[in-house]
Amino acid sequence: MGFGPASAAGAGAPWGPALLRFAVSLCLVLAGALVAGCGTDAGSTPEQDVRRDAKVIRQYFPELGAFEEVVWTGELLGDARAAVPGPSDFRVSGMVRLTASDTRRLRSEYTWQGAPGDPAVLAGIRPHVPGQADWKTSEDFTATVTEGRYAGTFHVDFRKNTLVFDATNPRKKV
């Protein structure tokens, strides 16, 4: 897949400057959430870490189109105290409310099949995932979005104009 020490030795490592900028931004957001959470009740909810800014998601997933709404969150993976410093892997999950035209476009451009159960997402996004949804997935759409460079899942409910995503180490495209 191109992640880890072996790929770091080669030129043109897949995680590059854009991923590093995103990871740093994500760290700053998470650090801000931790600082903002100081002094709050111990029973704080994952909702505190949920973001609603669309710009980042549009940069990583332009294939989603001009969606109307987004909620998303991310987390760094692995042990931040690792002996060898370097880029960290990260996971991002979210839910977007598609425009009617983007729903039609996605339905007509890709082959979709039923997906059992609810999509796997980070805890902060679970409350935003619609219940009783008719989830569909598309290998073609996933391949288009990820370009085969990272792991990701994309579930669509065409009746609710809703798409849920979960990706590890996505790459900025815009």
Side-chain angles (χ1 to χ4, degrees), residues 42-101:
S44 61
T45 65
E47 180 68 26
Q48 292 172 327
D49 296 332
V50 172
R51 298 182 62 175
R52 297 179 184 279
D53 53 318
K55 182 179 179 183
V56 172
I57 299 308
R58 285 191 172 110
Q59 290 173 335
Y60 282 87
F61 308 114
E63 299 84 359
L64 302 181
F67 49 83
E68 297 174 353
E69 174 188 9
V70 63
V71 292
W72 66 277
T73 190
E75 73 176 9
L76 292 176
L77 304 174
D79 185 358
R81 298 169 287 158
V84 180
S88 296
D89 290 335
F90 66 98
R91 179 179 172 194
V92 61
S93 292
M95 186 280 305
V96 298
R97 183 94 42 227
L98 299 167
T99 63
S101 62

Side-chain angles (χ1 to χ4, degrees), residues 68-140:
E68 297 174 353
E69 174 188 9
V70 63
V71 292
W72 66 277
T73 190
E75 73 176 9
L76 292 176
L77 304 174
D79 185 358
R81 298 169 287 158
V84 180
S88 296
D89 290 335
F90 66 98
R91 179 179 172 194
V92 61
S93 292
M95 186 280 305
V96 298
R97 183 94 42 227
L98 299 167
T99 63
S101 62
D102 281 323
T103 298
R104 286 189 300 276
R105 176 184 57 84
L106 291 176
R107 188 185 312 208
S108 68
E109 288 182 8
Y110 300 95
T111 302
W112 299 88
Q113 52 276 349
D118 289 333
V121 293
L122 292 169
I125 297 304
R126 283 187 204 123
H128 301 280
V129 175
Q132 299 182 346
D134 183 23
W135 295 118
K136 306 283 186 196
T137 60
S138 169
E139 290 180 16
D140 294 335

Side-chain angles (χ1 to χ4, degrees), residues 110 137-148 150-154:
Y110 300 95
T137 60
S138 169
E139 290 180 16
D140 294 335
F141 179 72
T142 300
T144 297
V145 175
T146 66
E147 299 173 332
Y150 61 88
T153 60
F154 302 87

